[in-house]
Amino acid sequence: MNEIYEWMDQIKEAHKDLVTMHYLGSTYETRPIYYFKISLPSNRKKKIVWMDCGIHAREWISVAFCQWFIREILQHHSHNSVIHKALKHIDFYIVPVFNIDGFVYSWTTDRLWRKSRSPYENGMCHGVDLNRNFDSNWCTIGASKNCSSITFCGSRPASEPEVQSLSRLVSSLKSDMLAFLTMHSYGQLILLPYGYTQEPSVNHNEQLSVGQVAASKIAEKHGMQYKVGSASHILYFNSGSSRDWAKDLGIPFSYTFELRDNGTYGFILPEDQIEPTCEEVMDGILSIVDYLNEKHFNSALSIFSGTLWMNMSFSIVIGTYFSLY
């Protein structure tokens, strides 16, 4: 984690034209959580794509991906058309490591540690599953009130300082946020809301089709197959997740990405799979960004839509005229 902190300082200093680093909040063990805002200078308010990595401590590949994503955005924004267009209209907010206490513990003490590190039951057990602690049907299904469980949901919704910090910031930005992306492992899945019900979200079909395009882009890179669907349909029921909470806030696109693999190595993904995993998922994420570009910022499409509307209106008027005579 100290290396990641140093890397964040280096990124901030090397890319002052695009990057600002901000304090999100503090962990239980008083480590600072930072996020990057990657943005082209502009006088107008822009839309937002959110990404966080490392909500579960043992999912190291997710942390590696956030670093990869940041590097790719910064190195290729001038000649990658998707990134270049996005930065004209979108600011990227990225949390490289969210569950820092748990991440440190997974390096020093228990490689497969999942939760945060706050004490419960007078220190008899430690840690909350931060992805069960959000205020979205909190602790109703797929979560535990037993503090020794790996899916312990905490003492109340947003009981943990990490979740409080994220909830506060995202809630303040929700009207401008187009997508909320939270990176996990493993399973090779692109998960949509919801985990707590099998009822579809308001724009389920749109989210599904965009997710399926992302999965096809991932497969094109190295042949890895990702399954797409609601968490309750293709994984398991769970409540209190950040993905569902973000969707409940009204953010249009909310996805959990479960990166490699399918269980051969699980959380202990070999080092030689880091780069190909990041490469393929980068293509998948950029397909989502490209969709947002086309949907919200394609001026040609807007002109076409206006022309189409005028033509339709004219046809209706002419049709009405002839029907009257």
Side-chain angles (χ1 to χ4, degrees):
M1 190 63 219
N2 287 335
E3 289 182 36
I4 294 173
Y5 278 136
E6 289 176 13
W7 167 81
M8 292 183 76
D9 282 334
Q10 291 166 5
I11 290 291
K12 175 188 68 174
E13 292 303 315
H15 299 278
K16 289 182 178 179
D17 56 328
L18 283 175
V19 175
T20 52
M21 192 168 84
H22 303 267
Y23 177 75
L24 178 66
S26 176
T27 67
Y28 174 79
E29 294 178 342
T30 69
R31 293 183 177 92
I33 308 169
Y34 296 112
Y35 66 92
F36 282 135
K37 179 182 177 182
I38 302 179
S39 173
L40 278 176
S42 173
N43 293 325
R44 51 195 178 76
K45 196 174 185 182
K46 292 193 284 186
K47 295 299 184 180
I48 296 167
V49 169
W50 173 277
M51 180 184 291
D52 63 71
C53 296
I55 193 171
H56 288 146
R58 62 194 179 186
E59 297 170 8
W60 290 5
I61 186 61
S62 77
V63 174
F65 179 74
C66 256
Q67 294 173 67
W68 181 278
F69 183 81
I70 290 163
R71 189 194 73 168
E72 292 292 290
I73 293 288
L74 296 177
Q75 287 189 356
H76 302 298
H77 69 90
S78 61
H79 56 269
N80 181 300
S81 60
V82 174
I83 299 172
H84 184 72
K85 182 173 182 178
L87 283 173
K88 290 180 179 179
H89 306 283
I90 291 172
D91 294 336
F92 291 91
Y93 285 65
I94 306 167
V95 184
V97 191
F98 181 57
N99 176 12
I100 296 175
D101 293 348
F103 184 67
V104 170
Y105 194 75
S106 74
W107 277 85
T108 61
T109 310
D110 181 353
R111 173 63 183 85
L112 293 178
W113 189 257
R114 171 183 169 99
K115 301 186 288 180
S116 65
R117 290 297 299 160
S118 53
Y120 277 83
E121 301 291 339
N122 295 316
M124 292 294 292
C125 47
H126 286 78
V128 168
D129 182 345
L130 299 179
N131 205 39
R132 300 292 183 275
N133 191 235
F134 284 82
D135 191 7
S136 177
N137 278 63
W138 176 79
C139 220
T140 55
I141 191 169
S144 174
K145 293 187 177 179
N146 177 354
C147 69
S148 63
S149 169
I150 65 168
T151 58
F152 176 47
C153 59
S155 57
R156 65 185 186 280
S159 60
E160 304 311 293
E162 298 90 345
V163 172
Q164 290 169 20
S165 298
L166 189 154
S167 299
R168 189 161 50 244
L169 178 62
V170 173
S171 294
S172 72
L173 300 170
K174 65 181 181 180
S175 62
D176 296 312
M177 201 168 285
L178 297 179
F180 182 95
L181 309 172
T182 181
M183 312 308 291
H184 289 244
S185 71
Y186 59 93
Q188 296 176 201
L189 304 167
I190 301 175
L191 300 174
L192 287 59
Y194 288 104
Y196 61 77
T197 177
Q198 290 195 320
E199 291 298 313
S201 63
V202 289
N203 65 331
H204 173 81
N205 289 336
E206 184 184 22
Q207 273 212 252
L208 184 64
S209 63
V210 172
Q212 287 168 339
V213 171
S216 69
K217 291 296 182 182
I218 289 171
E220 285 176 15
K221 193 69 176 182
H222 297 297
M224 292 296 109
Q225 300 298 316
Y226 275 59
K227 193 173 181 182
V228 186
S230 301
S232 58
H233 283 88
I234 68 169
L235 186 57
Y236 46 61
F237 282 97
N238 64 85
S239 55
S241 75
S242 64
R243 175 201 59 245
D244 289 355
W245 171 81
K247 190 63 182 176
D248 287 342
L249 275 185
I251 296 170
F253 293 88
S254 184
Y255 294 105
T256 302
F257 275 71
E258 298 282 357
L259 308 186
R260 292 194 196 185
D261 60 6
N262 278 319
T264 302
Y265 298 102
F267 302 112
I268 319 293
L269 197 68
E271 189 175 338
D272 63 6
Q273 291 197 37
I274 296 172
E275 188 168 332
T277 301
C278 291
E279 287 175 342
E280 67 200 13
V281 177
M282 187 74 194
D283 286 357
I285 297 291
L286 285 185
S287 76
I288 296 173
V289 173
D290 192 33
Y291 180 82
L292 297 175
N293 278 341
E294 293 303 310
K295 179 175 180 178
H296 295 280
F297 313 118
N298 190 335
S299 56
L301 183 62
S302 301
I303 292 167
F304 173 77
S305 298
T307 304
L308 181 63
W309 170 248
M310 285 190 291
N311 288 341
M312 288 175 62
S313 301
F314 182 73
S315 298
I316 291 168
V317 170
I318 293 299
T320 304
Y321 176 84
F322 282 110
S323 68
L324 292 172
Y325 294 90

